[in-house]
Amino acid sequence: MILGIALAAACAVATNLGFLYKHRGARAAAEVDFGRPLWSTRQLFSSRAFTIGMLIACGSWAFHIAAMSLVPLSVVQAVLAGGIVLLAIMAERYYGACVGPRQWSGLGMTAAGLILLGVSLPHVQGAHSHYSLPGMIAFEAGLIALGTLLIAGPRIGAPRHHRGVMLGAASGILFGVSDVAIKALTGEWGEGLLGFIFPWVPVMVAASVVAFFTSARALQDGQAVPVIAITSTAANVSGILGGLVVFGDPFPTSTLGILAQVAAFALVLVAAWFTPAPARAAGFASG
């Protein structure tokens, strides 16, 4: 458990550092064109900052997989929640972003809500990677549908000035799809090659690829702190719900535990309203 939590903490630091580099690089690259994925990929990786960010992200992904193989998914995501506060500190002190009082309040409420959600879950032993196939299919399909709706938001009447935040939420949800699939795979290692590969590797790959382009476009369209925060929050909430719904991480049975979880979700929802407020960044467009 201690090693899993330490790996999740390392993942939190690396994830936010990678996001900040990717934001700088994406803003310097040509606008992502969903209809030309190969061209968009070349344009993004032509930016040195974006390439560095992706390398850091690969390291954080390795930490994430290692953590999920050791401890329950909901615990991993709760630890990652603390990285949202690290995001604000790193962005303001080292990357020239202006994080106002409203953003600090939103980030603080998000971290507090997600951590409260994590610590209020009953303790479980082991990695907790067994799942119900119908539940897994229904949960993943629901997340994919919600992510698709957010990506299509501006085309179906949503305000275009919210595009960056909506795409950030969509990419976070799709990262959640990938995380849940990876967690399922950690329980299939002893089932042979076919059991390991099918069916969750294709789901993981497809969700990760779409999330890659969606996240890059979100970073181009929106400000760093709000977009990264909403992306991380959507991924964390998806992962925690996946742990509860798909893998059977136990719900609290006491009145105090239930109230703590209700308060946690309320904090996250209020923070989602606070965080996307305008935040000007100095020096983020270069790189």
Side-chain angles (χ1 to χ4, degrees):
M1 178 67 75
I2 294 175
L3 177 58
I5 291 174
L7 289 168
C11 175
V13 175
T15 295
N16 287 297
L17 181 61
F19 262 128
L20 289 170
Y21 270 103
K22 286 192 290 183
H23 178 269
R24 177 178 293 175
R27 295 295 286 266
E31 189 174 86
V32 170
D33 183 347
F34 291 110
R36 296 193 290 171
L38 294 179
W39 177 85
S40 296
T41 301
R42 288 196 299 269
Q43 295 301 312
L44 289 169
F45 280 98
S46 68
S47 167
R48 180 171 176 268
F50 188 86
T51 303
I52 293 173
M54 283 301 301
L55 290 173
I56 295 173
C58 289
S60 71
W61 189 66
F63 285 134
H64 199 177
I65 293 176
M68 287 192 294
S69 70
L70 296 172
V71 297
L73 180 58
S74 54
V75 174
V76 174
Q77 299 304 131
V79 174
L80 293 180
I84 295 177
V85 176
L86 290 175
L87 162 67
I89 296 171
M90 295 163 68
E92 190 169 59
R93 294 191 177 183
Y94 302 110
Y95 287 86
C98 179
V99 184
R102 180 166 176 166
Q103 286 73 48
W104 275 110
S105 298
L107 292 167
M109 284 188 290
T110 300
L114 291 175
I115 292 172
L116 180 61
L117 182 60
V119 299
S120 63
L121 295 171
H123 179 69
V124 291
Q125 297 289 339
H128 229 242
S129 57
H130 297 291
Y131 60 91
S132 162
L133 183 59
M136 178 77 166
I137 293 173
F139 186 80
E140 293 285 73
L143 288 186
I144 291 170
L146 181 57
T148 302
L149 183 64
L150 287 168
I151 292 172
R155 297 184 179 180
I156 58 177
R160 296 197 67 83
H161 62 277
H162 289 162
R163 181 177 175 86
V165 171
M166 292 178 69
L167 289 176
S171 63
I173 289 170
L174 292 173
F175 283 132
V177 170
S178 177
D179 289 344
V180 172
I182 292 170
K183 180 63 178 179
L185 288 172
T186 64
E188 303 286 353
W189 288 347
E191 302 296 327
L193 183 60
L194 290 179
F196 178 76
I197 292 177
F198 184 80
W200 304 123
V201 167
V203 173
M204 176 194 71
V205 172
S208 298
V209 169
V210 176
F212 167 79
F213 290 109
T214 306
S215 176
R217 182 61 183 267
L219 293 170
Q220 292 176 332
D221 288 351
Q223 297 292 341
V225 172
V227 169
I228 297 172
I230 199 70
T231 301
S232 298
T233 300
N236 284 329
V237 170
S238 298
I240 289 172
L241 289 176
L244 294 170
V245 174
V246 177
F247 300 103
D249 293 356
F251 287 90
T253 55
S254 67
T255 301
L256 181 60
I258 294 172
L259 290 175
Q261 295 220 342
V262 171
F265 278 110
L267 280 169
V268 171
L269 290 174
V270 173
W273 179 75
F274 264 73
T275 305
R280 298 182 182 274
F284 266 75
S286 61

